[in-house]
Amino acid sequence: MLRRMILGAILVSTIVIIPALGNADILRAPHLWILLGIGTLASVLQPAYNPLSIFLKSGDQGTGAQIIWSIYLVQLAATLEATYLRYPQSIAWDAVAYIALIGCLIGLSIRTWAIVTLGDLFTMHISIEKDHTIVNKGPYALVRHPSYLGAFILYLSAAVFLHAWYAAFVALTLLLPSAFLRRIHFEEKRLLDEFGEDYEAYRRRTYKIIPFLW
């Protein structure tokens, strides 16, 4: 656990802290350090992965790598915008910052809940594991892809927390409609091939990603 936390902190630092070194003043504020902590937790509370070798996973159609690198891009864009374009507004403690920080924690909690509920069935690539079953408890009783919902809320909120509006727009256009929905398409196709009518019945009584809406 300690090793994973250290590696996670190093990885997140390369996206959230190191790009901000050109503006030492922003590093005196807690905002980027808060995101470092949240990002490290997000890294530790999910299955380990290699951001380079994930390209080699079969059956993913590149969706695993697309999600990982899209998140990196959004976070890097938020850091750069907050540091060199929005500062000092980016470190303001206003209503936007507080609401967005709550959003980060909600997103992290939803994603962690989803991961814990699936247990060994949660993987970073599309696969049917041994003794695979349709999980319909916890967040999966309502939403078929709560981990993607949590991740989307987390990383969109992280950009808003820094008042990085361009990065937030990138998150809106890159993460949900491109990376996550493309992944869901291939994931559900695989599950339909494996479980047929059982999974189709599960689809009919649940929402894809947004509770009570879609």
Side-chain angles (χ1 to χ4, degrees), residues 11 48-58 62 64-66 68-69 72 124:
L11 175 61
Y49 67 92
N50 184 312
L52 298 178
S53 65
I54 199 170
F55 281 102
L56 305 177
K57 296 296 183 181
S58 61
Q66 183 181 4
I68 294 301
W69 287 95
Y72 290 169
M124 299 300 289

Side-chain angles (χ1 to χ4, degrees), residues 13 21 36-37 50-51 53 56 69 79 87 118 120 124 132 134 143 148 158 164 173 192 208:
S13 292
L21 292 178
L36 172 62
N50 184 312
S53 65
L56 305 177
W69 287 95
T79 299
Y87 184 84
L118 279 190
D120 292 339
M124 299 300 289
H132 203 119
I134 298 173
V143 178
Y148 302 143
T173 57
L192 281 169
K208 179 181 291 187

Side-chain angles (χ1 to χ4, degrees), residues 26-70:
I26 198 172
L27 294 176
R28 296 189 182 98
H31 292 62
L32 293 181
W33 300 103
I34 289 172
L35 292 183
L36 172 62
I38 291 174
T40 301
L41 275 176
S43 179
V44 169
L45 297 174
Q46 67 181 11
Y49 67 92
N50 184 312
L52 298 178
S53 65
I54 199 170
F55 281 102
L56 305 177
K57 296 296 183 181
S58 61
D60 286 75
Q61 304 296 321
T63 57
Q66 183 181 4
I67 288 174
I68 294 301
W69 287 95
S70 293

